[in-house]
Amino acid sequence: MIPLLSDPTLHTVALGTALLGVMSGVLGSFAVLRRESLLGDTLSHAALPGVCLGFMVTGARSLTGLMAGALVTAMLAAFAMVFLVRYTRLKTDAALGIALGLFFALGVVLLTHIQATGGAAQAGLDAFLFGQAAALSRADLLPMSSVGLVAVGLVVLLWKPLKLLTFDPEYAAVIGLPVRSLELLITLLVALTVVVGLQLVGVVLMTAMVIAPAAAARQWCCSLHGMVILAALLGATAGVLGGGLSALIPGLSTGPVIVLVASVIALGSLFFAPRRGLIPAWWRQGHRLSRTSSDRVLETVYQLACEHGSGRYRVEEGAVDAYHGIATAAILVSLRERGLLEAVDHMPDEGRHWRLTNEGMSYAAARAGRPDEAIGV
């Protein structure tokens, strides 16, 4: 275990995946909030032909050349999507689907052609489909970190315009912001993030890395500022944990493990986040229903007391059951625990009886809209 932690390759992978996670979290937040999750999928698949063209031009697996080619084709796919939406009747999702299929098919054709021509230089090029983090070198971290700093720096510099564009693009256009230029910038930054993650995660899985940290952070945060920061932290955590797990367990590919960790974080957030999680929401709903049922039963006791002109009137439990059509014993006991009712003895063999406490009378009268009305004792 200790020798593994001192492995320089593991350190390089951890740094690279942490950088990718931060970029994915920051840019993915804008994609999620602007409902453009499919944009990351399209750009990641559209990067494959660029990888192939970059290799064909340079003749080597130079990360800089491959990233440049991937960025070019990813942006071409984005322009194709914008063209189809603007000049045809296609919706955005249909245009993204067309661009994704077209560019990915072209990438597969080019990759097959390169592999068919042979040559040692093309060995491992298909690893860009699913990523090959172990092939990351210290020299590769420099262009990755440069791209990451530029992307995050632009987000910080243009924070207010991007925030306004995300939540109210119509108002942004009215006050004179360059909406189309800002939209193009976000697309470019997402494309840069995709390009950075190609070697680590691959074109097939990169969309999950863009969306999962942001989707997880959305469940915990109510502000864009908090969401972006948390998404960056969750993305970095998923990258480092995924890289570490793949190193600890021989035979596991780093990219898919990173995506699995990010997906587990997202699913956990969807279920357990206090404000938006499904389980807390179900609990709150059940609690509200329980409290509503309790209040309705208390109102029944109060109404019967009002009809008999005495707040100390002993209400038979069977009468309450008959009124609601269910067994109310558990609800009546819960009302006693809340100090709103008290159990009392009545005639023998007539079943359990209940009456309001002073607190119960005040509470029930307030709910009935008659807080100042007293019931005779």
Side-chain angles (χ1 to χ4, degrees), residues 88-325:
T88 69
R89 295 185 178 182
L90 291 175
K91 300 296 184 181
T92 301
D93 56 346
L96 287 170
I98 292 173
L100 185 154
L102 174 63
F103 280 82
F104 188 61
L106 177 61
V108 172
V109 170
L110 291 176
L111 182 61
T112 304
H113 170 72
I114 292 172
Q115 291 175 332
T117 58
Q122 60 85 28
L125 195 61
D126 56 349
F128 280 89
L129 286 172
F130 299 101
Q132 191 176 30
L136 191 70
S137 66
R138 290 278 180 177
D140 296 332
L141 291 177
L142 180 59
M144 289 179 60
S145 58
S146 300
V147 171
L149 287 174
V150 170
V152 176
L154 285 174
V155 170
V156 174
L157 184 64
L158 300 173
W159 177 259
K160 289 185 177 180
L162 292 177
K163 181 178 180 180
L164 185 58
L165 176 68
T166 299
F167 292 105
D168 198 345
E170 290 81 9
Y171 179 69
V174 168
I175 64 175
L177 288 179
V179 172
R180 291 185 179 178
S181 298
L182 290 173
E183 290 177 342
L184 181 61
L185 175 63
I186 292 179
T187 303
L188 174 61
L189 295 179
V190 173
L192 285 171
T193 303
V194 167
V195 169
V196 168
L198 288 180
Q199 183 167 348
L200 294 170
V201 179
V203 299
V204 176
L205 300 173
M206 187 56 210
T207 180
M209 196 62 194
V210 173
I211 300 305
R218 183 69 182 95
Q219 310 309 310
W220 299 88
C221 299
C222 297
S223 67
L224 179 61
H225 183 267
M227 178 181 172
V228 169
I229 293 177
L230 182 58
L233 293 175
L234 292 178
T237 301
V240 174
L241 285 180
L245 287 174
S246 65
L248 289 172
I249 305 175
L252 291 182
S253 298
T254 304
V257 175
I258 293 174
V259 171
L260 282 175
V261 172
S263 300
V264 168
I265 293 174
L267 288 174
S269 300
L270 288 170
F271 277 99
F272 298 107
R275 294 180 61 88
R276 292 185 173 88
L278 293 177
I279 292 178
W282 291 335
W283 183 87
R284 288 192 297 269
Q285 182 179 12
H287 181 69
R288 286 195 298 268
L289 290 175
S290 176
R291 174 56 69 88
T292 300
S293 299
S294 299
D295 289 344
R296 289 180 60 193
V297 170
L298 183 67
E299 290 172 4
T300 301
V301 177
Y302 175 74
Q303 290 170 2
L304 290 172
C306 288
E307 291 174 2
H308 288 82
S310 173
R312 309 300 287 173
Y313 178 74
R314 295 174 173 85
V315 176
E316 185 181 2
E317 185 175 308
V320 181
D321 292 347
Y323 183 85
H324 290 278

